[in-house]
Amino acid sequence: MGAHDRAGLERLLRYCARPPFALERLERLDAERVVYRLPKPQRDGTTALTLTPLELIDHLAALIPPPRRHRHRYHGVLAPNSPRRAAAVVLGRDLTDDPSASAELAAPGRAPAPNARSPARYPWVMLP
């Protein structure tokens, strides 16, 4: 995108400012009911949701990520403290640069020492 690409800038701004749902699909039936027409039918054949205004706000609030938290959370072998993480992500790094990665792969069943602590977990008194 060039500095003078006004059409590209407008597309980018429209994309960033778009609402989380299409306003054209939202219709107010009366003071107690709102209908949202789904873009595709659900598995059970539902094509529209009839909600109260508070239920609609509840559904929209679920789309907002929690403040000051990472949006991606990893579980299982991809979790940061998983003992099997090194074997799971080995294809993502170059083994020739990291000699410790090949040692981790050679002994995947090796458990850490029971009283070994991560340097990030040392009490501040024990630090040099």
Side-chain angles (χ1 to χ4, degrees), residues 15-37:
Y15 174 76
C16 292
R18 76 187 200 286
F21 61 93
L23 292 174
E24 298 86 29
R25 295 190 196 122
L26 189 63
E27 180 184 349
R28 187 173 186 168
L29 296 179
D30 55 29
E32 298 296 321
R33 294 181 299 155
V34 177
V35 173
Y36 183 72
R37 302 198 192 297

Side-chain angles (χ1 to χ4, degrees), residues 64-127:
I64 300 170
R68 296 175 296 281
R69 296 265 177 113
H70 293 291
R71 293 183 73 179
H72 300 285
R73 296 184 182 121
Y74 297 99
H75 302 278
V77 295
L78 294 177
N81 293 329
S82 172
R84 297 179 189 242
R85 181 182 167 89
V89 297
V90 70
L91 296 177
R93 47 181 137 126
D94 188 9
L95 291 178
T96 59
D97 294 342
D98 188 7
S100 65
S102 59
E104 290 173 3
L105 287 177
R110 187 185 74 206
N115 56 358
R117 288 186 168 181
S118 165
R121 302 287 181 195
Y122 288 145
W124 67 272
V125 176
M126 295 177 62
L127 295 175

